[in-house]
Amino acid sequence: MTSPDHKADLHRYLQSARDALLWKLEGLSEYDIRRPLTPTGTNLLGLVKHVATMELGYLGDVFGRPSGEPLPWLEDGAEPNADMWVTADESREHIVGLYRRAWAHADATIDALPLETTGRVPWWPKGRDEVTLHHAVVRVMADAQRHAGHADIVRELIDGAAGMDESDDSMAPGDSAWWESYRSRLESTAREAGKDV
């Protein structure tokens, strides 16, 4: 039995979320990757922008390893929630490139430092602002996986594409007729259960 490689495990799950987020953009128009599909404005390219920002912060700045990437949406006076959507002037290529550079920067931090290294999170309250690299990686991974789930739902609303990636949709087997029948059965079940309320 070999000893576990904790960094490799953390990296594998973080990378799977990264890959899933970018896959959700493939084949879509500029409009579709930006359009808000929830009442709170959730959109695909905005999710990528947000997760890139989190990686640069938690796995860069927090450990004294600033990336040098300009992030105007975090500057004083920036509009609230500006990291969750993409302006018409910010291209898909720019945001995807930023995310890929954030990966490289975060991965370099993970590779360079022991998991027990302590950093300071400037946006956390004083006295509770210390974090280990291990905790920061888990936090970023959880955030990326959460937003990959959001992206999965948003993409399904756009064109029906679902799953982890092109080769692994992680869905039950069935054609469109099967899925419509399945969804109808769930709707009927929900209505039946709702009668008693």
Side-chain angles (χ1 to χ4, degrees), residues 1-38:
M1 179 177 220
T2 61
S3 60
D5 184 344
H6 299 295
K7 284 186 178 184
D9 288 343
L10 292 168
H11 183 260
R12 181 168 44 102
Y13 285 102
L14 177 57
Q15 191 62 47
S16 74
R18 292 166 169 169
D19 292 339
L21 273 167
L22 289 189
W23 179 64
K24 297 304 174 180
L25 303 176
E26 287 185 22
L28 293 180
S29 69
E30 291 299 314
Y31 169 71
D32 282 335
I33 62 173
R34 288 173 163 80
R35 77 174 159 146
L37 285 165
T38 68

Side-chain angles (χ1 to χ4, degrees), residues 52-53 56 61 65-75 94 97-103 105:
T53 304
L56 291 170
D61 298 337
R65 298 171 59 89
S67 68
E69 291 283 349
L71 304 174
W73 49 89
L74 293 183
E75 293 174 4
H94 172 71
L98 173 69
Y99 193 28
R100 290 187 185 279
R101 291 188 303 278
W103 296 0
H105 190 74

Side-chain angles (χ1 to χ4, degrees), residues 181-192:
S181 173
Y182 172 76
R183 189 185 179 290
S184 293
R185 193 171 95 234
L186 296 181
E187 179 65 29
S188 294
T189 302
R191 288 183 186 278
E192 182 179 335

